[in-house]
Amino acid sequence: MITLHFFYNYEKPICEKFQIIPVRFTKNLCQRVRDLNLKQQRKKKKKERGKYRSYSLSLKICALKWIEEGIDDRTISNKLDIPLKNIRRWKKQGPFRKQGCGRKSIDLEMEQKLAQWCHETIRNTNKRVSRAMIQTQALKMIKQGVDFKASKGWTDKFVRKYKLIRNKRISKL
């Protein structure tokens, strides 16, 4: 419980920590004490984790160059607004991602055959391949007994992975 002391000098704060300047006695003292207790409780709460952020390779390399120049990790962290843990990890492992990270594809051979099929149909017919065509062809090519759904998310990642640009035609070689 915080005790408040009232003085007649209204210009000076009562407590330097909270910067409380007493107001006339007509204010509700209990409400003021409750507000101070809430502020203290909020400060004691553990900070919640924010969103995950990804950093570009050039930013990682820039941070590592500053480390080589002799700048402290904490100052780099404050300047670039990057958590200190990330900078220390980049110092140990380097700026590149670990090999083999991420979700593995269900059937890599099927994906490669499907990408080859897409390139061939684009070159032969000189027309665009729609995402619905990619999904139906993927369901035809998948092995029996494999739990696979050619979802919209899978199709988007497939198009991005094999650089199948939807709005442009791939020129004939």
Side-chain angles (χ1 to χ4, degrees):
M1 180 67 114
I2 299 171
T3 58
L4 297 175
H5 301 283
F6 287 93
F7 299 100
Y8 290 105
N9 186 359
Y10 292 137
E11 295 173 3
K12 292 183 182 177
I14 295 171
C15 179
E16 294 295 327
K17 184 176 180 183
F18 297 106
Q19 295 294 320
I20 301 169
I21 297 174
V23 187
R24 297 187 183 174
F25 291 104
T26 56
K27 289 275 184 174
N28 189 355
L29 185 62
C30 295
Q31 181 63 36
R32 203 180 261 187
V33 171
R34 274 189 235 123
D35 291 343
L36 288 174
N37 285 336
L38 286 174
K39 281 184 184 179
Q40 286 178 344
Q41 287 174 1
R42 285 185 203 133
K43 286 182 183 180
K44 288 180 183 178
K45 280 187 180 177
K46 191 175 182 181
K47 287 186 179 180
E48 292 182 16
R49 182 180 52 81
K51 291 184 178 180
Y52 287 111
R53 295 187 300 184
S54 62
Y55 302 101
S56 66
L57 183 63
S58 60
L59 184 85
K60 293 177 186 179
I61 292 172
C62 176
L64 291 176
K65 283 182 183 178
W66 284 359
I67 290 171
E68 289 175 1
E69 291 174 5
I71 299 174
D72 186 33
D73 296 350
R74 290 186 192 276
T75 56
I76 295 170
S77 172
N78 292 335
K79 283 183 182 179
L80 298 177
D81 192 29
I82 298 172
L84 186 62
K85 188 175 182 179
N86 287 2
I87 293 174
R88 289 182 178 158
R89 182 173 17 96
W90 298 339
K91 203 162 56 169
K92 284 182 185 177
Q93 296 177 355
F96 303 104
R97 291 186 70 182
K98 287 183 183 178
Q99 291 295 322
C101 290
R103 181 179 273 187
K104 308 296 183 259
S105 62
I106 294 172
D107 192 1
L108 188 63
E109 293 175 24
M110 183 272 301
E111 284 187 7
Q112 291 171 349
K113 288 178 185 177
L114 184 62
Q116 187 178 8
W117 174 84
C118 290
H119 284 291
E120 287 175 2
T121 54
I122 290 169
R123 285 191 190 111
N124 294 339
T125 61
N126 203 17
K127 292 183 181 178
R128 296 183 183 116
V129 176
S130 68
R131 290 173 189 258
M133 291 170 61
I134 292 172
Q135 287 173 336
T136 55
Q137 190 65 27
L139 290 171
K140 288 178 187 174
M141 291 180 154
I142 195 71
K143 296 175 186 174
Q144 292 291 331
V146 177
D147 186 27
F148 173 74
K149 298 174 185 173
S151 63
K152 181 184 179 299
W154 176 86
T155 311
D156 291 342
K157 289 173 189 168
F158 175 80
V159 167
R160 198 177 321 129
K161 182 178 179 180
Y162 289 99
K163 297 180 178 122
L164 301 171
I165 301 167
R166 184 177 179 191
N167 295 331
K168 297 179 183 176
R169 291 184 181 151
I170 298 174
S171 61
K172 292 183 181 181
L173 296 177

